[in-house]
Amino acid sequence: MFFSELVEFYERIEAITGRIEMTNLLVQLLKITPPEIIDKVVYLTLGEVYPPFIGLELGVADKMALKAVKLASGMSERDVERAYKELGDVGLVGERMLAEKSQVTLFMQQLMVEDVYSALEKIARVSGEGSMETKIQILSGLLASAQPKEAKYILRIVMGKMRLGVADMTILDALAILFGGGKEARDLFERAYNLSSDIGYVAKVAAQIGLDGIKKFKITLGKPIRPMLAERLSSAEEILEKIGGKCIAEYKYDGERMQIHKDGDEVLIFSRRLENITSQYPDVLELVRKHVKAGEAILECECVAVDPETGDMLPFQELMHRKRKHDVHKAVEQYPVIVHFFDALYVDGRDLTLEPLEVRRKTLESIIEEGERVKLSKGIITDDPNEIEKFLHEAVEEGCEGLVVKALGEEAIYRAGARGWLWIKLKRSYKSEMVDTVDLVVVGAFHGRGKRSGTYGALLMAAYDKQRDVFQSVCKVGSGFTDEDLRKLPELLGPYKISHRHARVETGMEADIWFEPKTVLEIIGDEITISPIHRAAWGMIREGYGLAIRFPRFTGRYRFDKAPEDATTIDELIEMYRRQLKKLMPSPAEGQGAT
Ligand code: AMP
């Protein structure tokens, strides 16, 4: 397949903003893609070379990319600089410079998709001393054989700025239509994706084996399973009612969630966002080798920092010391951890994700040998709300955030990648006001004035609509930022700046600056109200209104551990709004359960 064919699609995709049209174009593209390279085409379209959990980045900055453009085009540094100043986009600079050059080069071989992919792969893999120079060389070589438009996209991919607005979910839709015969097959494809987190791999299985391969999709050690997530409610009674009367209530440890893949002595650790965090936890690797009595396993645990002197659990923030690149061993000594295992998803060839919780728990108990640093999550089986309440206080007293209450029975499978009512969080601080924080995605900003001129005055924040895979604005937040935050924010958000509202963002507000939805911040407000401007839960509570957060403030917590799709969802907001109403004016009609 010629790379130019791909580029033609990119040009068309870039020009549209609607999801349906985008999906249709993707269907056309994948239809003409040879099955052997469909995974590569999928990664490139997403602006990647590998699925994100591999953790290999192309890592080419503006300056280096411009240097490669200069080398490939033979233009002077001044010309390149000038074009960059004028266009502000390295992709466009590359396109223009090569267009000027191509007047002299007449005969050139056409680039194939594989050529581009393998060059990008090389760029991603080079590391160590002198790697920057090597990357520039490979890139300029590639650009020298590219048409101007091809150069534009090569540069965007290499800089991590593809931004076609295509997401994994859009590709899934396209795959279901193309290989599953329509939207009805969407769930099967979604399950395959949830079991592998690798959309390119799912595409390849579909293209090479067909729908049957998707139906019998197998878990692969080393490919993370998308985590099951919890809903939330504010009282033990409500939870028991929702969950079917009987439950297992477990401590909700305040640490870092880990998905551990063990293949003999090989151990990998993935974060909740499915990043490979193995190198940060050499001590956990040792613990797993010693305490997990299975050859192959995929297990989930919460890793909690402990006070080495008292053995007390420390808050989540203490784990930040593990995020350093150097001296990890020092951090291991200074900030020891305990792992609390709570689920088993795969053990010695057996996929447990469709087994009920009791079976998974029994399996987990049979392979974990507890020790000082390795525990099974603490839980009680009960149908008594008072007992849950008491257990909650106990958990909080021991340094936990609250409880995760889990459903029992045949239906209580591991729902990979889903937030559902099989797991429900119970924290202690629910009141009628909005005392609970939400995690929102930055989608835009407003220029600051006075003391804040030159930085942002406020940020436009959005919640996540999972059904439609879009981000809907819910407030404009200007308080709670320290001077340090205000200084840092342009640096932090700058790389995600785009010239127009992102295709997956919905809002009635006109921001001065728009961003790709990437950065998640923790926000607290006074209450949730209906709003004619914000688009969260649009029309779901009242025709022509959405939900907004009144008097929002930044709590100071940057949620780098959350992907934008992990932000507070519309459903959660609606639920919080309803609970709040119910407390204010109890009426039999209100709050009959969640939507
Ligand atoms: P959330 O991430 O906000 O949906 O809350 C659920 C989180 O609680 C999970 O992602 C885990 O990181 C954490 N957690 C702590 N203890 C447990 C437990 N016993 N079972 C499940 N999740 C737990």
PDB file of all heavy atoms in Angstrom, residues 227-231 250-258 272 301-302 340 342 377-378 401 404 406 419 423 425 427 439 562, ligand 1:
ATOM      1  N   PRO A 227      -8.906  -2.029  32.884  1.00  0.00           N
ATOM      2  CA  PRO A 227      -9.405  -2.297  34.233  1.00  0.00           C
ATOM      3  C   PRO A 227     -10.910  -2.098  34.403  1.00  0.00           C
ATOM      4  O   PRO A 227     -11.516  -1.265  33.741  1.00  0.00           O
ATOM      5  CB  PRO A 227      -8.642  -1.291  35.093  1.00  0.00           C
ATOM      6  CG  PRO A 227      -8.211  -0.225  34.176  1.00  0.00           C
ATOM      7  CD  PRO A 227      -8.034  -0.856  32.831  1.00  0.00           C
ATOM      8  N   MET A 228     -11.459  -2.904  35.281  1.00  0.00           N
ATOM      9  CA  MET A 228     -12.860  -2.742  35.678  1.00  0.00           C
ATOM     10  C   MET A 228     -12.910  -1.585  36.664  1.00  0.00           C
ATOM     11  O   MET A 228     -12.030  -1.435  37.509  1.00  0.00           O
ATOM     12  CB  MET A 228     -13.312  -4.026  36.359  1.00  0.00           C
ATOM     13  CG  MET A 228     -14.692  -3.989  36.955  1.00  0.00           C
ATOM     14  SD  MET A 228     -15.228  -5.688  37.279  1.00  0.00           S
ATOM     15  CE  MET A 228     -16.776  -5.394  38.113  1.00  0.00           C
ATOM     16  N   LEU A 229     -13.944  -0.760  36.559  1.00  0.00           N
ATOM     17  CA  LEU A 229     -14.019   0.416  37.412  1.00  0.00           C
ATOM     18  C   LEU A 229     -15.283   0.405  38.255  1.00  0.00           C
ATOM     19  O   LEU A 229     -16.222  -0.341  37.973  1.00  0.00           O
ATOM     20  CB  LEU A 229     -13.982   1.687  36.562  1.00  0.00           C
ATOM     21  CG  LEU A 229     -12.753   1.822  35.656  1.00  0.00           C
ATOM     22  CD1 LEU A 229     -12.936   2.966  34.688  1.00  0.00           C
ATOM     23  CD2 LEU A 229     -11.495   2.004  36.478  1.00  0.00           C
ATOM     24  N   ALA A 230     -15.282   1.245  39.263  1.00  0.00           N
ATOM     25  CA  ALA A 230     -16.388   1.234  40.219  1.00  0.00           C
ATOM     26  C   ALA A 230     -17.312   2.438  40.037  1.00  0.00           C
ATOM     27  O   ALA A 230     -16.863   3.520  39.672  1.00  0.00           O
ATOM     28  CB  ALA A 230     -15.809   1.243  41.627  1.00  0.00           C
ATOM     29  N   GLU A 231     -18.570   2.229  40.294  1.00  0.00           N
ATOM     30  CA  GLU A 231     -19.532   3.337  40.394  1.00  0.00           C
ATOM     31  C   GLU A 231     -19.457   3.871  41.809  1.00  0.00           C
ATOM     32  O   GLU A 231     -18.712   3.365  42.632  1.00  0.00           O
ATOM     33  CB  GLU A 231     -20.956   2.823  40.123  1.00  0.00           C
ATOM     34  CG  GLU A 231     -21.296   2.739  38.654  1.00  0.00           C
ATOM     35  CD  GLU A 231     -21.483   4.117  38.021  1.00  0.00           C
ATOM     36  OE1 GLU A 231     -21.524   5.116  38.779  1.00  0.00           O
ATOM     37  OE2 GLU A 231     -21.566   4.208  36.789  1.00  0.00           O
ATOM     38  N   GLU A 250     -14.889  -4.512  50.543  1.00  0.00           N
ATOM     39  CA  GLU A 250     -13.435  -4.556  50.734  1.00  0.00           C
ATOM     40  C   GLU A 250     -12.878  -3.173  51.037  1.00  0.00           C
ATOM     41  O   GLU A 250     -13.442  -2.170  50.603  1.00  0.00           O
ATOM     42  CB  GLU A 250     -12.754  -5.054  49.442  1.00  0.00           C
ATOM     43  CG  GLU A 250     -13.053  -6.490  49.124  1.00  0.00           C
ATOM     44  CD  GLU A 250     -12.293  -6.968  47.883  1.00  0.00           C
ATOM     45  OE1 GLU A 250     -11.446  -6.226  47.361  1.00  0.00           O
ATOM     46  OE2 GLU A 250     -12.574  -8.093  47.449  1.00  0.00           O
ATOM     47  N   TYR A 251     -11.777  -3.146  51.733  1.00  0.00           N
ATOM     48  CA  TYR A 251     -11.050  -1.896  51.941  1.00  0.00           C
ATOM     49  C   TYR A 251     -10.742  -1.270  50.593  1.00  0.00           C
ATOM     50  O   TYR A 251     -10.335  -1.974  49.667  1.00  0.00           O
ATOM     51  CB  TYR A 251      -9.716  -2.167  52.639  1.00  0.00           C
ATOM     52  CG  TYR A 251      -9.775  -2.234  54.140  1.00  0.00           C
ATOM     53  CD1 TYR A 251     -10.970  -2.424  54.804  1.00  0.00           C
ATOM     54  CD2 TYR A 251      -8.608  -2.099  54.881  1.00  0.00           C
ATOM     55  CE1 TYR A 251     -11.001  -2.482  56.192  1.00  0.00           C
ATOM     56  CE2 TYR A 251      -8.629  -2.151  56.269  1.00  0.00           C
ATOM     57  CZ  TYR A 251      -9.835  -2.348  56.916  1.00  0.00           C
ATOM     58  OH  TYR A 251      -9.856  -2.399  58.272  1.00  0.00           O
ATOM     59  N   LYS A 252     -10.910   0.032  50.498  1.00  0.00           N
ATOM     60  CA  LYS A 252     -10.458   0.749  49.304  1.00  0.00           C
ATOM     61  C   LYS A 252      -9.120   1.394  49.649  1.00  0.00           C
ATOM     62  O   LYS A 252      -9.069   2.441  50.289  1.00  0.00           O
ATOM     63  CB  LYS A 252     -11.478   1.814  48.880  1.00  0.00           C
ATOM     64  CG  LYS A 252     -11.105   2.497  47.580  1.00  0.00           C
ATOM     65  CD  LYS A 252     -12.160   3.527  47.189  1.00  0.00           C
ATOM     66  CE  LYS A 252     -12.012   3.992  45.749  1.00  0.00           C
ATOM     67  NZ  LYS A 252     -10.743   4.616  45.441  1.00  0.00           N
ATOM     68  N   TYR A 253      -8.063   0.708  49.277  1.00  0.00           N
ATOM     69  CA  TYR A 253      -6.716   1.188  49.610  1.00  0.00           C
ATOM     70  C   TYR A 253      -6.390   2.434  48.801  1.00  0.00           C
ATOM     71  O   TYR A 253      -6.766   2.536  47.630  1.00  0.00           O
ATOM     72  CB  TYR A 253      -5.690   0.081  49.328  1.00  0.00           C
ATOM     73  CG  TYR A 253      -5.964  -1.157  50.158  1.00  0.00           C
ATOM     74  CD1 TYR A 253      -6.714  -2.209  49.647  1.00  0.00           C
ATOM     75  CD2 TYR A 253      -5.513  -1.232  51.462  1.00  0.00           C
ATOM     76  CE1 TYR A 253      -7.001  -3.329  50.414  1.00  0.00           C
ATOM     77  CE2 TYR A 253      -5.791  -2.347  52.240  1.00  0.00           C
ATOM     78  CZ  TYR A 253      -6.539  -3.390  51.712  1.00  0.00           C
ATOM     79  OH  TYR A 253      -6.822  -4.489  52.469  1.00  0.00           O
ATOM     80  N   ASP A 254      -5.677   3.334  49.425  1.00  0.00           N
ATOM     81  CA  ASP A 254      -5.356   4.594  48.758  1.00  0.00           C
ATOM     82  C   ASP A 254      -3.920   4.534  48.237  1.00  0.00           C
ATOM     83  O   ASP A 254      -2.992   5.041  48.849  1.00  0.00           O
ATOM     84  CB  ASP A 254      -5.506   5.740  49.767  1.00  0.00           C
ATOM     85  CG  ASP A 254      -5.349   7.098  49.107  1.00  0.00           C
ATOM     86  OD1 ASP A 254      -5.411   7.171  47.871  1.00  0.00           O
ATOM     87  OD2 ASP A 254      -5.167   8.085  49.837  1.00  0.00           O
ATOM     88  N   GLY A 255      -3.768   3.861  47.113  1.00  0.00           N
ATOM     89  CA  GLY A 255      -2.424   3.723  46.565  1.00  0.00           C
ATOM     90  C   GLY A 255      -2.456   3.779  45.059  1.00  0.00           C
ATOM     91  O   GLY A 255      -3.245   4.519  44.489  1.00  0.00           O
ATOM     92  N   GLU A 256      -1.618   2.986  44.437  1.00  0.00           N
ATOM     93  CA  GLU A 256      -1.606   2.925  42.982  1.00  0.00           C
ATOM     94  C   GLU A 256      -2.100   1.553  42.545  1.00  0.00           C
ATOM     95  O   GLU A 256      -1.621   0.532  43.021  1.00  0.00           O
ATOM     96  CB  GLU A 256      -0.176   3.166  42.472  1.00  0.00           C
ATOM     97  CG  GLU A 256      -0.057   2.998  40.973  1.00  0.00           C
ATOM     98  CD  GLU A 256       1.122   3.723  40.360  1.00  0.00           C
ATOM     99  OE1 GLU A 256       2.147   3.889  41.054  1.00  0.00           O
ATOM    100  OE2 GLU A 256       1.021   4.111  39.172  1.00  0.00           O
ATOM    101  N   ARG A 257      -3.070   1.571  41.639  1.00  0.00           N
ATOM    102  CA  ARG A 257      -3.565   0.305  41.141  1.00  0.00           C
ATOM    103  C   ARG A 257      -2.526  -0.306  40.211  1.00  0.00           C
ATOM    104  O   ARG A 257      -1.945   0.394  39.392  1.00  0.00           O
ATOM    105  CB  ARG A 257      -4.859   0.537  40.364  1.00  0.00           C
ATOM    106  CG  ARG A 257      -5.497  -0.754  39.860  1.00  0.00           C
ATOM    107  CD  ARG A 257      -6.812  -0.434  39.200  1.00  0.00           C
ATOM    108  NE  ARG A 257      -7.569  -1.619  38.881  1.00  0.00           N
ATOM    109  CZ  ARG A 257      -8.886  -1.595  38.651  1.00  0.00           C
ATOM    110  NH1 ARG A 257      -9.542  -0.456  38.732  1.00  0.00           N
ATOM    111  NH2 ARG A 257      -9.529  -2.687  38.352  1.00  0.00           N
ATOM    112  N   MET A 258      -2.329  -1.606  40.349  1.00  0.00           N
ATOM    113  CA  MET A 258      -1.371  -2.284  39.476  1.00  0.00           C
ATOM    114  C   MET A 258      -2.018  -3.497  38.846  1.00  0.00           C
ATOM    115  O   MET A 258      -2.757  -4.221  39.514  1.00  0.00           O
ATOM    116  CB  MET A 258      -0.189  -2.801  40.297  1.00  0.00           C
ATOM    117  CG  MET A 258       0.709  -1.731  40.823  1.00  0.00           C
ATOM    118  SD  MET A 258       2.040  -2.503  41.750  1.00  0.00           S
ATOM    119  CE  MET A 258       3.114  -1.090  41.912  1.00  0.00           C
ATOM    120  N   ARG A 272      -2.961   1.902  36.260  1.00  0.00           N
ATOM    121  CA  ARG A 272      -4.372   1.972  35.938  1.00  0.00           C
ATOM    122  C   ARG A 272      -4.594   2.523  34.530  1.00  0.00           C
ATOM    123  O   ARG A 272      -5.529   2.157  33.832  1.00  0.00           O
ATOM    124  CB  ARG A 272      -5.026   2.883  36.978  1.00  0.00           C
ATOM    125  CG  ARG A 272      -6.468   3.140  36.767  1.00  0.00           C
ATOM    126  CD  ARG A 272      -6.862   4.361  37.564  1.00  0.00           C
ATOM    127  NE  ARG A 272      -7.910   5.035  36.864  1.00  0.00           N
ATOM    128  CZ  ARG A 272      -9.158   5.128  37.283  1.00  0.00           C
ATOM    129  NH1 ARG A 272      -9.488   4.624  38.426  1.00  0.00           N
ATOM    130  NH2 ARG A 272     -10.059   5.750  36.566  1.00  0.00           N
ATOM    131  N   CYS A 301      -3.781  -5.557  41.991  1.00  0.00           N
ATOM    132  CA  CYS A 301      -3.570  -5.201  43.379  1.00  0.00           C
ATOM    133  C   CYS A 301      -3.478  -3.692  43.514  1.00  0.00           C
ATOM    134  O   CYS A 301      -3.369  -2.974  42.523  1.00  0.00           O
ATOM    135  CB  CYS A 301      -2.284  -5.837  43.904  1.00  0.00           C
ATOM    136  SG  CYS A 301      -0.806  -5.250  43.094  1.00  0.00           S
ATOM    137  N   GLU A 302      -3.558  -3.242  44.753  1.00  0.00           N
ATOM    138  CA  GLU A 302      -3.329  -1.841  45.042  1.00  0.00           C
ATOM    139  C   GLU A 302      -2.025  -1.790  45.828  1.00  0.00           C
ATOM    140  O   GLU A 302      -1.852  -2.528  46.800  1.00  0.00           O
ATOM    141  CB  GLU A 302      -4.503  -1.287  45.870  1.00  0.00           C
ATOM    142  CG  GLU A 302      -4.499   0.191  46.053  1.00  0.00           C
ATOM    143  CD  GLU A 302      -5.098   0.996  44.883  1.00  0.00           C
ATOM    144  OE1 GLU A 302      -5.564   0.404  43.889  1.00  0.00           O
ATOM    145  OE2 GLU A 302      -5.083   2.235  44.989  1.00  0.00           O
ATOM    146  N   HIS A 340      -1.640  -5.120  48.042  1.00  0.00           N
ATOM    147  CA  HIS A 340      -2.877  -5.771  48.487  1.00  0.00           C
ATOM    148  C   HIS A 340      -3.579  -6.324  47.247  1.00  0.00           C
ATOM    149  O   HIS A 340      -4.140  -5.557  46.459  1.00  0.00           O
ATOM    150  CB  HIS A 340      -3.788  -4.760  49.180  1.00  0.00           C
ATOM    151  CG  HIS A 340      -3.163  -4.115  50.371  1.00  0.00           C
ATOM    152  ND1 HIS A 340      -3.319  -4.611  51.647  1.00  0.00           N
ATOM    153  CD2 HIS A 340      -2.377  -3.030  50.500  1.00  0.00           C
ATOM    154  CE1 HIS A 340      -2.656  -3.846  52.501  1.00  0.00           C
ATOM    155  NE2 HIS A 340      -2.071  -2.881  51.831  1.00  0.00           N
ATOM    156  N   PHE A 342      -6.393  -7.917  44.970  1.00  0.00           N
ATOM    157  CA  PHE A 342      -7.858  -8.017  45.059  1.00  0.00           C
ATOM    158  C   PHE A 342      -8.509  -8.772  43.906  1.00  0.00           C
ATOM    159  O   PHE A 342      -9.695  -9.035  43.953  1.00  0.00           O
ATOM    160  CB  PHE A 342      -8.507  -6.647  45.262  1.00  0.00           C
ATOM    161  CG  PHE A 342      -8.241  -5.634  44.174  1.00  0.00           C
ATOM    162  CD1 PHE A 342      -8.956  -5.670  42.993  1.00  0.00           C
ATOM    163  CD2 PHE A 342      -7.308  -4.628  44.362  1.00  0.00           C
ATOM    164  CE1 PHE A 342      -8.743  -4.721  42.007  1.00  0.00           C
ATOM    165  CE2 PHE A 342      -7.076  -3.674  43.381  1.00  0.00           C
ATOM    166  CZ  PHE A 342      -7.794  -3.729  42.197  1.00  0.00           C
ATOM    167  N   SER A 377      -6.598  -8.433  49.776  1.00  0.00           N
ATOM    168  CA  SER A 377      -7.394  -7.294  50.236  1.00  0.00           C
ATOM    169  C   SER A 377      -8.335  -7.758  51.353  1.00  0.00           C
ATOM    170  O   SER A 377      -8.854  -8.874  51.330  1.00  0.00           O
ATOM    171  CB  SER A 377      -8.193  -6.707  49.083  1.00  0.00           C
ATOM    172  OG  SER A 377      -9.043  -7.690  48.545  1.00  0.00           O
ATOM    173  N   LYS A 378      -8.525  -6.875  52.316  1.00  0.00           N
ATOM    174  CA  LYS A 378      -9.351  -7.240  53.466  1.00  0.00           C
ATOM    175  C   LYS A 378     -10.821  -7.014  53.127  1.00  0.00           C
ATOM    176  O   LYS A 378     -11.174  -5.950  52.602  1.00  0.00           O
ATOM    177  CB  LYS A 378      -8.945  -6.342  54.638  1.00  0.00           C
ATOM    178  CG  LYS A 378      -9.426  -6.821  55.962  1.00  0.00           C
ATOM    179  CD  LYS A 378      -8.716  -6.073  57.069  1.00  0.00           C
ATOM    180  CE  LYS A 378      -9.417  -6.328  58.386  1.00  0.00           C
ATOM    181  NZ  LYS A 378      -8.818  -5.595  59.484  1.00  0.00           N
ATOM    182  N   GLU A 401      -9.327   4.943  51.812  1.00  0.00           N
ATOM    183  CA  GLU A 401     -10.240   5.999  51.355  1.00  0.00           C
ATOM    184  C   GLU A 401     -11.685   5.682  51.685  1.00  0.00           C
ATOM    185  O   GLU A 401     -12.529   6.555  51.704  1.00  0.00           O
ATOM    186  CB  GLU A 401     -10.173   6.075  49.833  1.00  0.00           C
ATOM    187  CG  GLU A 401      -9.034   6.840  49.288  1.00  0.00           C
ATOM    188  CD  GLU A 401      -9.243   6.994  47.787  1.00  0.00           C
ATOM    189  OE1 GLU A 401      -9.092   5.997  47.065  1.00  0.00           O
ATOM    190  OE2 GLU A 401      -9.581   8.104  47.354  1.00  0.00           O
ATOM    191  N   VAL A 404     -14.680  -0.558  48.669  1.00  0.00           N
ATOM    192  CA  VAL A 404     -15.236  -0.915  47.369  1.00  0.00           C
ATOM    193  C   VAL A 404     -16.154  -2.095  47.660  1.00  0.00           C
ATOM    194  O   VAL A 404     -15.712  -3.133  48.153  1.00  0.00           O
ATOM    195  CB  VAL A 404     -14.156  -1.336  46.355  1.00  0.00           C
ATOM    196  CG1 VAL A 404     -14.783  -1.629  45.000  1.00  0.00           C
ATOM    197  CG2 VAL A 404     -13.087  -0.264  46.227  1.00  0.00           C
ATOM    198  N   LYS A 406     -18.553  -5.010  46.447  1.00  0.00           N
ATOM    199  CA  LYS A 406     -18.621  -5.792  45.213  1.00  0.00           C
ATOM    200  C   LYS A 406     -19.773  -6.793  45.224  1.00  0.00           C
ATOM    201  O   LYS A 406     -20.044  -7.418  46.253  1.00  0.00           O
ATOM    202  CB  LYS A 406     -17.300  -6.536  45.010  1.00  0.00           C
ATOM    203  CG  LYS A 406     -16.111  -5.577  44.924  1.00  0.00           C
ATOM    204  CD  LYS A 406     -14.781  -6.287  44.748  1.00  0.00           C
ATOM    205  CE  LYS A 406     -13.667  -5.256  44.668  1.00  0.00           C
ATOM    206  NZ  LYS A 406     -12.348  -5.860  44.496  1.00  0.00           N
ATOM    207  N   ARG A 419     -17.148   0.739  33.736  1.00  0.00           N
ATOM    208  CA  ARG A 419     -17.535   1.250  35.042  1.00  0.00           C
ATOM    209  C   ARG A 419     -18.978   0.802  35.240  1.00  0.00           C
ATOM    210  O   ARG A 419     -19.839   1.137  34.448  1.00  0.00           O
ATOM    211  CB  ARG A 419     -17.453   2.778  35.051  1.00  0.00           C
ATOM    212  CG  ARG A 419     -17.613   3.383  36.427  1.00  0.00           C
ATOM    213  CD  ARG A 419     -17.573   4.891  36.366  1.00  0.00           C
ATOM    214  NE  ARG A 419     -16.266   5.437  36.043  1.00  0.00           N
ATOM    215  CZ  ARG A 419     -15.237   5.494  36.899  1.00  0.00           C
ATOM    216  NH1 ARG A 419     -15.376   5.042  38.124  1.00  0.00           N
ATOM    217  NH2 ARG A 419     -14.099   6.012  36.530  1.00  0.00           N
ATOM    218  N   TRP A 423     -19.267  -3.105  41.101  1.00  0.00           N
ATOM    219  CA  TRP A 423     -18.368  -2.562  42.126  1.00  0.00           C
ATOM    220  C   TRP A 423     -18.867  -1.163  42.451  1.00  0.00           C
ATOM    221  O   TRP A 423     -19.059  -0.355  41.544  1.00  0.00           O
ATOM    222  CB  TRP A 423     -16.946  -2.416  41.614  1.00  0.00           C
ATOM    223  CG  TRP A 423     -16.178  -3.682  41.406  1.00  0.00           C
ATOM    224  CD1 TRP A 423     -16.643  -4.961  41.487  1.00  0.00           C
ATOM    225  CD2 TRP A 423     -14.790  -3.784  41.062  1.00  0.00           C
ATOM    226  NE1 TRP A 423     -15.637  -5.848  41.221  1.00  0.00           N
ATOM    227  CE2 TRP A 423     -14.484  -5.155  40.959  1.00  0.00           C
ATOM    228  CE3 TRP A 423     -13.778  -2.869  40.836  1.00  0.00           C
ATOM    229  CZ2 TRP A 423     -13.210  -5.621  40.629  1.00  0.00           C
ATOM    230  CZ3 TRP A 423     -12.511  -3.320  40.508  1.00  0.00           C
ATOM    231  CH2 TRP A 423     -12.226  -4.693  40.412  1.00  0.00           C
ATOM    232  N   LYS A 425     -18.165   2.250  44.961  1.00  0.00           N
ATOM    233  CA  LYS A 425     -17.303   2.899  45.962  1.00  0.00           C
ATOM    234  C   LYS A 425     -18.163   3.508  47.048  1.00  0.00           C
ATOM    235  O   LYS A 425     -19.211   4.073  46.766  1.00  0.00           O
ATOM    236  CB  LYS A 425     -16.538   4.064  45.316  1.00  0.00           C
ATOM    237  CG  LYS A 425     -15.501   3.662  44.341  1.00  0.00           C
ATOM    238  CD  LYS A 425     -14.839   4.894  43.756  1.00  0.00           C
ATOM    239  CE  LYS A 425     -15.524   5.331  42.485  1.00  0.00           C
ATOM    240  NZ  LYS A 425     -14.810   6.346  41.710  1.00  0.00           N
ATOM    241  N   LYS A 427     -17.391   6.184  50.068  1.00  0.00           N
ATOM    242  CA  LYS A 427     -16.430   6.991  50.831  1.00  0.00           C
ATOM    243  C   LYS A 427     -17.193   7.650  51.964  1.00  0.00           C
ATOM    244  O   LYS A 427     -18.405   7.699  51.961  1.00  0.00           O
ATOM    245  CB  LYS A 427     -15.783   8.031  49.923  1.00  0.00           C
ATOM    246  CG  LYS A 427     -14.999   7.410  48.771  1.00  0.00           C
ATOM    247  CD  LYS A 427     -14.133   8.437  48.097  1.00  0.00           C
ATOM    248  CE  LYS A 427     -13.773   8.012  46.688  1.00  0.00           C
ATOM    249  NZ  LYS A 427     -13.077   9.059  45.948  1.00  0.00           N
ATOM    250  N   ASP A 439     -13.124  14.660  38.698  1.00  0.00           N
ATOM    251  CA  ASP A 439     -11.917  14.762  37.873  1.00  0.00           C
ATOM    252  C   ASP A 439     -12.335  15.184  36.476  1.00  0.00           C
ATOM    253  O   ASP A 439     -13.051  14.454  35.804  1.00  0.00           O
ATOM    254  CB  ASP A 439     -11.202  13.417  37.818  1.00  0.00           C
ATOM    255  CG  ASP A 439     -10.700  13.008  39.188  1.00  0.00           C
ATOM    256  OD1 ASP A 439     -10.158  13.866  39.893  1.00  0.00           O
ATOM    257  OD2 ASP A 439     -10.878  11.835  39.556  1.00  0.00           O
ATOM    258  N   LYS A 562      -4.672   9.774  35.511  1.00  0.00           N
ATOM    259  CA  LYS A 562      -5.921   9.462  34.807  1.00  0.00           C
ATOM    260  C   LYS A 562      -5.851   9.885  33.340  1.00  0.00           C
ATOM    261  O   LYS A 562      -5.394  10.989  33.036  1.00  0.00           O
ATOM    262  CB  LYS A 562      -7.098  10.187  35.469  1.00  0.00           C
ATOM    263  CG  LYS A 562      -7.437   9.620  36.836  1.00  0.00           C
ATOM    264  CD  LYS A 562      -8.893   9.838  37.187  1.00  0.00           C
ATOM    265  CE  LYS A 562      -9.259   9.004  38.401  1.00  0.00           C
ATOM    266  NZ  LYS A 562     -10.676   9.120  38.749  1.00  0.00           N
TER     267      LYS A 562
HETATM  268  P1  AMP B   1     -11.963   4.539  40.809  1.00  0.00           P
HETATM  269  O1  AMP B   1     -10.581   4.341  40.232  1.00  0.00           O
HETATM  270  O2  AMP B   1     -12.202   5.936  41.213  1.00  0.00           O
HETATM  271  O3  AMP B   1     -13.029   3.917  39.955  1.00  0.00           O
HETATM  272  O4  AMP B   1     -11.994   3.731  42.196  1.00  0.00           O
HETATM  273  C1  AMP B   1     -11.682   2.390  42.231  1.00  0.00           C
HETATM  274  C2  AMP B   1     -10.216   2.263  42.553  1.00  0.00           C
HETATM  275  O5  AMP B   1     -10.047   1.845  43.862  1.00  0.00           O
HETATM  276  C3  AMP B   1      -9.538   1.194  41.737  1.00  0.00           C
HETATM  277  O6  AMP B   1      -9.091   1.714  40.501  1.00  0.00           O
HETATM  278  C4  AMP B   1      -8.377   0.779  42.609  1.00  0.00           C
HETATM  279  O7  AMP B   1      -7.241   1.554  42.281  1.00  0.00           O
HETATM  280  C5  AMP B   1      -8.796   1.198  43.994  1.00  0.00           C
HETATM  281  N1  AMP B   1      -8.955   0.100  44.951  1.00  0.00           N
HETATM  282  C6  AMP B   1      -8.471   0.098  46.199  1.00  0.00           C
HETATM  283  N2  AMP B   1      -8.817  -1.003  46.857  1.00  0.00           N
HETATM  284  C7  AMP B   1      -9.544  -1.754  45.992  1.00  0.00           C
HETATM  285  C8  AMP B   1     -10.185  -3.011  46.108  1.00  0.00           C
HETATM  286  N3  AMP B   1     -10.181  -3.728  47.230  1.00  0.00           N
HETATM  287  N4  AMP B   1     -10.865  -3.464  45.019  1.00  0.00           N
HETATM  288  C9  AMP B   1     -10.900  -2.746  43.886  1.00  0.00           C
HETATM  289  N5  AMP B   1     -10.316  -1.554  43.736  1.00  0.00           N
HETATM  290  C10 AMP B   1      -9.636  -1.053  44.780  1.00  0.00           C
END
